[in-house]
Amino acid sequence: MADIICLASTRWCKIPTRTQRLLTQLNRSHKILFFQPPPPRLTRDPRRHDYKKKGRAVQPNITVYTLPPVFGIKDDSHPFLLRRNIKRMADYITERCAGQDMLPRNALLWACSPLYATLLETLEYRGLVYDCYQDWPDFDIHWESLLANRADVLFAASPGLVDHLAPCNTNIALLPNGGDQKLFAKADDLTLQVPAPLMHIRGPLFGYLGDVGRNVDLRPVYLAARSHEVWSFIFAGRCSQANPLYRQMKQLENVHFLGKIDRLNLPGYAAQFDVLFDLLDTEDPDEDVVPSRLYEYLMVGKPVAAMYPARFIPVYPDVVYGARSPKEFVDACYQAVLENSAWAPASRRRYGAEAAWELRAAEAERILESNGLL
């Protein structure tokens, strides 16, 4: 059994993140300490005291800790404060490892953010993995360069990130996101009941699964809903009221925000939708990382209309109706709702099955073993 120290970029969540999905598959054979990112030192967030709590066993062989609050700096412009941050985090990690009978120098360090490049000179470790699943424009580029250069293995979630990291390290593996195959395969269950919120909404039904953040670009749906009043657009999840178009969208009779929905119930909604759709994030519209949502749409088998970044090479163009502008999105929705294909649903399910998180994690484990890290 190998020891893994994960320095995560997000907290351990009820809805599993990419890091959780991968590590949960590895925990069968390896002991994992999962360190949640530190909160800002001068915050009133009640979670600022979480670092004082005992480790929380969230899975067999996985224990979660929260790093202590640190000063919110993202470059080398404040060397004194940076040294304080480094010492505080490194001491905390070392102490928690000792409490778990783990020696950092014998462990694999799994880093998920450029923030942790600052610890490389202080922490001991046997091997280093950098799992890069997004761009990090807020951090000093030299931090990520250092992390990528020191890594024994780099995982990149998209071809664009592979190109971005290639100058720093040649041992890069493309490891895209995945989807929850076991959950979304349930959408084929003919015994699923129609969710109550959908019973009185007229079709065709266009569905979005999951929460909508403040930066999700709703303009394509706004145009489609206004130009096709017989189409109903349903958001099966919460929507941030800070989203610029939220209030205008709420006023449209054929747009429905259903609010919080348990993830386990999403297949029941997906089974009733005629078309599933995906949107872009306005903060990083050129991001070429395929979100887990799109893979899970494929697992359902229903027609998919998706917004693509302007410079993005379309994925699954044979079964996904892609668009790069609100007007093209309306056209994509029109093509999707009129789809009459015997082979497309099966192709989508096959593509989705190939992207199951279990297979992604197995590939990651194979790569790490071939590099002598596990």
Side-chain angles (χ1 to χ4, degrees):
M1 175 182 284
D3 293 334
I4 300 175
I5 298 171
C6 176
L7 304 179
S9 60
T10 57
R11 297 178 63 84
W12 188 274
C13 302
K14 183 178 180 181
I15 299 176
T17 62
R18 169 189 171 95
T19 306
Q20 289 174 227
R21 291 288 189 186
L22 295 174
L23 294 182
T24 298
Q25 296 300 314
L26 292 174
N27 76 326
R28 295 166 298 175
S29 307
H30 310 288
K31 183 178 180 180
I32 301 169
L33 300 189
F34 183 99
F35 289 92
Q36 300 181 139
R41 188 153 188 167
L42 303 178
T43 181
R44 295 183 178 179
D45 189 325
R47 293 178 295 187
R48 68 187 184 277
H49 298 302
D50 283 359
Y51 75 100
K52 298 179 181 179
K53 298 179 181 179
K54 294 182 179 180
R56 179 163 53 101
V58 293
Q59 295 278 346
N61 294 333
I62 300 182
T63 305
V64 172
Y65 294 98
T66 301
L67 289 170
V70 296
F71 295 103
I73 54 178
K74 299 181 179 181
D75 55 36
D76 297 326
S77 57
H78 301 281
F80 174 75
L81 297 181
L82 181 58
R83 287 194 296 271
R84 293 282 299 273
N85 284 356
I86 293 171
K87 178 173 173 49
R88 196 164 201 225
M89 288 192 290
D91 288 349
Y92 183 86
I93 293 169
T94 302
E95 290 170 4
R96 295 306 176 273
C97 287
Q100 292 284 341
D101 295 324
M102 181 185 292
L103 292 175
R105 67 173 178 269
N106 295 331
L108 174 65
L109 194 62
W110 185 299
C112 303
S113 162
L115 168 68
Y116 303 116
T118 61
L119 296 174
L120 298 183
E121 297 294 341
T122 306
L123 276 181
E124 295 182 291
Y125 52 88
R126 180 175 60 83
L128 175 62
V129 174
Y130 174 33
D131 182 25
C132 181
Y133 62 88
Q134 70 171 67
D135 190 22
W136 297 98
D138 293 338
F139 283 104
D140 189 328
I141 187 62
H142 295 100
W143 286 10
E144 184 171 48
S145 297
L146 175 62
L147 185 59
N149 184 265
R150 294 283 187 87
D152 296 288
V153 169
L154 283 170
F155 291 131
S158 74
L161 291 175
V162 170
D163 293 341
H164 172 66
L165 296 170
C168 301
N169 197 321
T170 58
N171 199 17
I172 305 175
L174 176 63
L175 189 70
N177 286 327
D180 190 339
Q181 170 72 6
K182 292 180 180 178
L183 177 62
F184 285 90
K186 295 178 181 179
D188 287 336
D189 187 350
L190 299 178
T191 65
L192 288 174
Q193 296 184 345
V194 179
L198 301 183
M199 286 184 175
H200 303 294
I201 300 177
R202 64 182 183 179
L205 305 182
F206 293 76
Y208 182 96
L209 303 180
D211 295 341
V212 177
R214 63 183 299 168
N215 298 314
V216 172
D217 188 356
L218 293 174
R219 291 177 300 169
V221 179
Y222 185 65
L223 176 61
R226 292 192 64 183
S227 58
H228 292 76
E229 296 181 358
V230 297
W231 294 352
S232 292
F233 290 87
I234 300 158
F235 292 88
R238 293 170 293 189
C239 181
S240 171
Q241 297 187 24
N243 190 293
L245 276 178
Y246 174 73
R247 293 189 178 183
Q248 292 170 266
M249 298 274 284
K250 283 278 288 184
Q251 296 174 0
L252 300 179
E253 293 184 0
N254 59 336
V255 175
H256 307 269
F257 293 103
L258 303 186
K260 183 179 180 180
I261 293 176
D262 192 302
R263 180 172 171 81
L264 296 179
N265 295 329
L266 290 180
Y269 285 84
Q272 302 303 317
F273 294 147
D274 298 291
V275 175
L276 295 160
F277 66 91
D278 195 30
L279 302 169
L280 296 178
D281 191 306
T282 57
E283 278 201 337
D284 199 355
D286 293 326
E287 177 69 78
D288 72 335
V289 176
V290 178
S292 292
R293 178 183 295 105
L294 187 58
Y295 292 118
E296 291 168 345
Y297 285 176
L298 294 174
M299 292 169 181
V300 174
K302 297 292 184 74
V304 178
M307 286 294 297
Y308 287 149
R311 294 187 292 275
F312 182 59
I313 298 175
V315 292
Y316 311 113
D318 53 334
V319 294
V320 174
Y321 300 94
R324 287 187 168 85
S325 70
K327 183 179 182 303
E328 288 185 7
F329 179 77
V330 177
D331 294 337
C333 288
Y334 188 75
Q335 295 176 59
V337 79
L338 292 180
E339 179 181 279
N340 182 20
S341 170
W343 59 266
S347 294
R348 290 191 191 96
R349 292 188 181 96
R350 184 177 71 255
Y351 289 143
E354 292 170 353
W357 277 120
E358 290 82 358
L359 297 182
R360 300 294 198 221
E363 175 65 6
E365 188 169 26
R366 184 194 66 78
I367 292 170
L368 295 177
E369 288 177 346
S370 67
N371 281 270
L373 296 176
L374 289 180

